């Protein structure tokens, strides 16, 4: 009998799912499922289940069983609302990034890196529970703390986000593979940068609904998860490592 | 002298055989590689079998018509030309589908660009040597059997004769024209059929697999990917080989026909008559010129195959081509000097002494190189025009298309300017015969250019096999590097084909006018085409419009086949849900069948247009109309061929430039726009452009063969006689 897995999907939608599929197959099933005919990117994390009383783990055990023909159960939704904030980060295991054609890359949890000073601004894609594109003067660690500490009106109980590659805006020819990020509202991006670097704003929203244009190829250092008590970090491999070790995924993600 | 030509042709074919079996003996690699390459080979074999079966029936009908209406030897020569062209295309396709997996495996085993390049080039050389060997062997046979054995090269046969229908012509000109027509008709089917096949598969694979399902290039989960790789072989190898063989033969025979008519129309001229001895020299000279080119190219190819190869494929391929060109120039220069020294060449308009035809040929070579360089300037992302298309893509699809159109249109002017200069220059050096020699010069090292051109699709296929076989990424890096060089060399090869077609068409056109000479026109004959004549002007207008009709039909044919392919790939993704997860295998065979059926169904009309239009024009409106039509078609087809080849190439490379990480790189909006531009350009550069130079020559040769019939028997003349 197949093993039961618990997955926290962070992008494009937030949910907790029990499944009999291993992460690779789960990612492919979620992104390329034949019935929907859609091809989405997926970010999800495998969890250790049974950690608190917020979720109905027994329901998962009852429903997540093989079909009559012996096929494994693909998905049993346990929750689709305010999930991330109820998950202790100690239960987080590997994060998976699945491309629209169903290739999955696993990222291991690691120590949250110390913020490096020096960069005048950062661009963040918030992934869960909200998905704006934001320019900020804060480094990744400080940005996460700022969002969850409750001191600002723009505050969340928990957040998953990633920092994005920043290009030289005076050279829009030699950009590397950055997808459509800089194709939209370049003028507004420049205004947002000016707002955080010259006018002292901490964060400035660049786009309230950019999620459809999010690409893995533009992720810079990695993915961060924060809540008021904890932080978790999933580092993105270097391009060289991706090419040599994860060639199929890298091609699929249009990184190479 | 024939002995040398035979030896050169047979040596080229023997060298091709050695390289063929040399490649075939190499290891094919893993079971997965063998399985994938087997599927590509089977698909290509099946298509070529069906295609050649269809062509054979049409070829027999044309040969019978030629045999009855013109002469039996024209019909036989037509079949010989068709067999030679078909053989070269078939062998080229075979070696390409044998080489691809071995190239991939060599990269896997050695990790060396140089060693891998050697295998790809050895495979490509089989096509090049087959093109040179078969075309020359067939022509040598024509000379030996019809020229010598049946005496058509004898003084008493180099006269305008009448056949049983009262149609007048010089027998040997009809024989070589029949041979050239056989080559041209096969080339037309190969180019059009292969072009439709490859682009339907390519567009189906890209539009659904890449754009909708987000699958990378050459991913085995894409149902159209094997058909795409089959298309590279039937379109870019067999089609290209037959195309350049046809160009080569067309250039050679244009000089032969011209010399024959120049001789006859000056038989009794009070001054400036051409002696039989001189015309004999003129008739054999192009063959020996080609023979020297063949031997020189063999040396250039051998040099690359035996030397230690560096990791700079472009440099190595260029070196081989330059060696071939240099040896050809030296060898033909020395030969020309001895061959024409002592001959009275004043009547021919040779203004630079015995070396005049050689200088004209050099003008052709220089022109070919210049056109090739101009093509590279217009289509390579190392230069501004293509970079401008990439940049315009950031503002959306419409501006990518608009900028590509602008680049394509602007790219026409300078090559045409160079071509015009070459025609004037060659004519000034050696008269109309010099113009024909310029075309021959341009193609004198065709074996090397075809070898290099064929290497490109082989490397491309090897990349596909590496990807589908899940070989180490380092293998794909090697094959990608080799493929990138192939893209540049292909653009240069197209420049040679179009340029030579322009010059050959000019000398064929002069022959068309000469062929209207009557048996009593032996005291000089004025070549006269009056564009004030309404018939000629009308012919010019219709002729200029014809390439647009022809191109439209071709593009529509590709679109029809591509639509079916898109629907099939979508169906497979919809109905076979495990394809993307790798749990189910796509149905590759159905995609190959769709491309194949589309190509076979759609290739007949364009080919028939090229054959029937001059006949219909001639038998309804007469020789003046056809004369105007040939000029009109030649002019607009050259412009259109350059425009389509260069705009398509520029769109393709503009996309590649973005895919190298510029203007947002892969996945950006600029990339999406450039993918659309590339897709629009695909049928232009790979189906329409290469077919237009064949259209020019088929129409010219058909007109040349039949002008003596329709100048007397046409509807307008008949109605006029009734009115009178």
């Amino acid at each position: 009998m197949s093993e039961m897995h618990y997955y926290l999907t962070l992008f494009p939608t937030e949910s907790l799912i029990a499944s009999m599929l291993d992460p690779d197959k789960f990612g492919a099933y979620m992104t390329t499922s034949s019935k929907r005919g859609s091809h989405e990117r997926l970010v999800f994390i495998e969890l250790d289940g049974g950690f608190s009383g917020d979720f109905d783990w027994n329901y998962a055990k009852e429903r997540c069983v093989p079909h009559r023909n012996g096929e494994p159960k693909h998905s049993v939704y346990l929750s689709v609302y305010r999930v991330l904030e109820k998950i202790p980060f100690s239960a987080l295991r590997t994060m998976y990034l699945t491309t629209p054609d169903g290739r999955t890359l696993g990222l291991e949890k690691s120590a949250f890196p110390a913020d490096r000073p020096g960069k005048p601004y950062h661009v963040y894609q918030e992934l869960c529970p909200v998905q704006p594109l934001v320019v900020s003067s804060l480094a990744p660690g400080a940005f996460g703390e700022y969002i969850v500490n409750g001191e600002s009106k723009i505050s969340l109980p928990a957040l998953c986000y990633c920092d994005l590659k920043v290009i030289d805006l005076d050279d829009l020819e030699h950009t590397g593979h950055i997808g459509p990020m800089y194709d939209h509202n370049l003028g507004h991006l420049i205004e947002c940068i000016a707002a955080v670097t010259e006018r002292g704003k901490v964060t400035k929203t660049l786009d309230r609904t950019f999620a459809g244009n999010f690409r893995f190829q533009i992720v810079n250092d990695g993915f961060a998860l924060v809540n008021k008590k904890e932080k978790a970090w999933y580092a993105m491999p270097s391009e060289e490592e991706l090419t040599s070790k994860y060639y199929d995924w890298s091609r699929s993600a249009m990184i190479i | 002298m024939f002995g040398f030509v035979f030896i050169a042709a047979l040596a080229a074919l023997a060298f091709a055989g050695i390289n063929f079996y040399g490649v075939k003996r190499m290891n094919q690699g893993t079971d997965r590689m063998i399985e994938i390459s087997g599927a590509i080979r089977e698909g290509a074999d099946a298509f070529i079998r069906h295609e050649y079966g269809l062509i054979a029936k049409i070829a027999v009908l044309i040969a019978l018509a030629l045999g009855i209406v013109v002469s039996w030897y024209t019909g036989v020569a037509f079949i010989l030309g068709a067999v030679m062209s078909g053989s070269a295309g078939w062998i080229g396709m075979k070696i390409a589908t044998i080489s691809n997996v071995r190239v991939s495996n060599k990269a896997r085993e050695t990790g060396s660009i140089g060693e891998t390049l050697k295998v790809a080039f050895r495979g490509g050389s089989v096509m090049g040597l087959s093109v040179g060997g078969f075309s020359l062997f067939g022509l040598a046979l024509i000379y030996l059997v019809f020229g010598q054995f049946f005496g058509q090269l004898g003084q008493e046969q180099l006269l305008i004769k009448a056949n049983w229908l009262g149609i007048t012509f010089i027998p040997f000109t009809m024989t070589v024209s029949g041979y050239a027509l056989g080559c041209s008709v096969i080339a037309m089917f190969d180019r059009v059929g292969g072009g439709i096949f490859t682009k339907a598969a390519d567009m189906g694979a890209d539009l659904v697999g890449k754009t909708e399902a987000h699958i990378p290039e050459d991913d085995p989960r894409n149902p159209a990917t094997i058909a795409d790789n089959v298309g590279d072989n039937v379109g870019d190898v067999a089609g290209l080989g037959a195309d350049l063989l046809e160009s080569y033969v067309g250039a050679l025979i244009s000089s032969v026909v011209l010399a024959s008519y120049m001789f006859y129309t000056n038989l009794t001229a009070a001054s400036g008559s051409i002696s039989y001895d001189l015309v004999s020299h003129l008739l054999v000279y192009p063959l020996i010129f080609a023979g020297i080119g063949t031997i020189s190219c063999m040396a250039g190819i051998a040099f690359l195959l035996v030397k230690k190869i560096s990791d700079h494929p472009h440099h190595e391929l260029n070196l081989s081509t330059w060696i071939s060109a240099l040896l050809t120039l030296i060898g033909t220069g020395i030969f020309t000097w001895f061959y024409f020294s002592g001959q009275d060449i004043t009547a021919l308009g040779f203004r630079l002494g015995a070396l005049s035809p050689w200088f004209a040929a050099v003008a052709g070579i220089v022109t070919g190189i210049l056109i090739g360089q101009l093509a590279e300037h217009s289509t390579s992302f190392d230069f501004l025009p293509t970079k401008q298309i990439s940049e315009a893509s950031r503002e959306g699809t419409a501006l990518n298309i608009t900028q590509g159109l602008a680049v394509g249109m602007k790219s026409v002017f300078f090559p045409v300017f160079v071509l015009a200069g070459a025609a004037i220059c060659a004519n000034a050096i050696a008269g109309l015969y010099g113009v024909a020699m310029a075309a021959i010069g341009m193609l004198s090292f065709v074996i090397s250019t075809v070898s290099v051109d064929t290497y490109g699709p082989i490397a491309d296929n090897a990349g596909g096999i590496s990807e589908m076989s899940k070989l180490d990424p380092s293998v794909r890096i090697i094959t990608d590097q080799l493929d990138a060089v192939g893209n540049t060399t292909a653009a240069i090869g197209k420049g040679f084909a179009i340029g030579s077609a322009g010059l050959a068409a000019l000398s064929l056109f002069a022959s068309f006018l000469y062929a209207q000479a009557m048996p009593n026109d032996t005291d000089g004959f004025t070549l006269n085409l009056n564009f004030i004549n309404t018939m000629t002007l009308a012919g010019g207008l219709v002729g200029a419009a014809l390439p647009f009709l022809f191109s439209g039909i071709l593009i529509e044919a590709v679109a029809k086949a591509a639509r079916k392919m898109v629907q099939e790939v979508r169906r497979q993704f919809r109905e076979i849900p495990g394809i993307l997860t790798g749990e189910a295998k796509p149905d590759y065979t159905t995609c190959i069948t769709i491309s194949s059926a589309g190509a076979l169904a759609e290739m007949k009309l364009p080919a028939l247009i090229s054959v029937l239009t001059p006949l219909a024009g001639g038998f309804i409106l007469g020789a003046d109309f056809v004369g105007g039509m040939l000029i009109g078609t030649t002019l607009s087809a050259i412009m259109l061929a350059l425009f389509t080849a260069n705009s398509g190439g520029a769109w393709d490379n503009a996309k590649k430039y973005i895919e190298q990480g510029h203007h947002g790189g892969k996945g950006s909006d600029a990339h999406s726009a450039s993918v659309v531009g590339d897709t629009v350009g695909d049928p232009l550069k790979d189906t329409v452009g290469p077919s237009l130079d064949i259209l020019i020559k088929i129409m010219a040769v058909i007109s040349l063969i039949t002008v003596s019939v329709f100048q007397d028997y046409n509807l307008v003349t008949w109605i006029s006689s009734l009115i009178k």
Side-chain angles (χ1 to χ4, degrees), chain B residues 15-139:
Chain B
F15 195 10
I18 290 166
N19 286 345
F20 188 98
Y21 286 104
V23 172
K24 201 175 177 189
R25 271 201 306 272
M26 292 175 181
N27 189 2
Q28 295 185 69
T30 65
D31 290 344
R32 178 80 177 137
M33 291 166 76
I34 293 169
E35 184 195 346
I36 289 164
S37 63
I40 295 170
R41 192 159 45 246
E42 280 169 26
D45 280 345
F47 174 69
I48 289 283
R49 263 199 312 276
H50 284 124
E51 186 185 46
Y52 278 19
L54 182 67
I55 296 171
K57 290 173 196 154
I58 296 170
V60 168
L61 286 177
I62 295 175
L64 282 174
L66 288 172
I68 293 166
V69 176
V70 184
S71 66
W72 68 268
Y73 39 82
T74 310
V76 171
F78 175 88
I79 292 289
L80 183 65
V83 169
M84 290 295 132
S85 177
S87 303
W90 183 76
I91 288 173
M93 190 278 297
K94 284 300 285 183
I95 189 61
T97 55
I98 287 170
S99 306
N100 51 15
V101 66
R102 286 153 175 94
V103 170
S104 178
N105 188 52
K106 183 60 81 174
R108 184 180 74 98
E109 285 178 347
T110 65
S112 156
I113 294 177
E115 288 303 310
T116 310
L117 166 71
K118 238 181 206 185
V119 182
F121 185 69
R122 190 184 287 275
S125 74
V126 175
M127 177 89 247
L129 291 160
S130 296
V131 164
F134 278 114
S135 56
L136 206 53
F137 180 70
L139 261 182

Side-chain angles (χ1 to χ4, degrees), chain B residues 329-344:
Chain B
L329 278 176
I330 294 169
T332 52
I334 294 168
F335 162 71
T336 307
W337 174 257
F338 284 107
Y339 196 64
F340 284 109
S341 288
Q343 292 284 334
D344 179 8

Side-chain angles (χ1 to χ4, degrees), chain A residues 145-191:
Chain A
E145 286 168 15
Y146 175 79
I147 295 292
V148 297
N149 66 14
E151 292 170 10
S152 152
K153 294 292 180 199
I154 302 168
S155 183
L156 297 163
L159 177 68
C160 172
Y161 61 102
C162 58
D163 69 318
L164 305 183
K165 289 175 184 167
V166 172
I167 62 164
D168 176 2
L169 295 177
D170 292 328
D171 180 9
L172 292 175
E173 183 175 352
H174 303 92
T175 55
H177 299 303
I178 53 167
M181 154 105 193
Y182 291 92
D183 292 336
H184 302 274
N185 270 334
L186 192 61
H188 183 50
L189 171 64
I190 293 166
E191 281 174 21

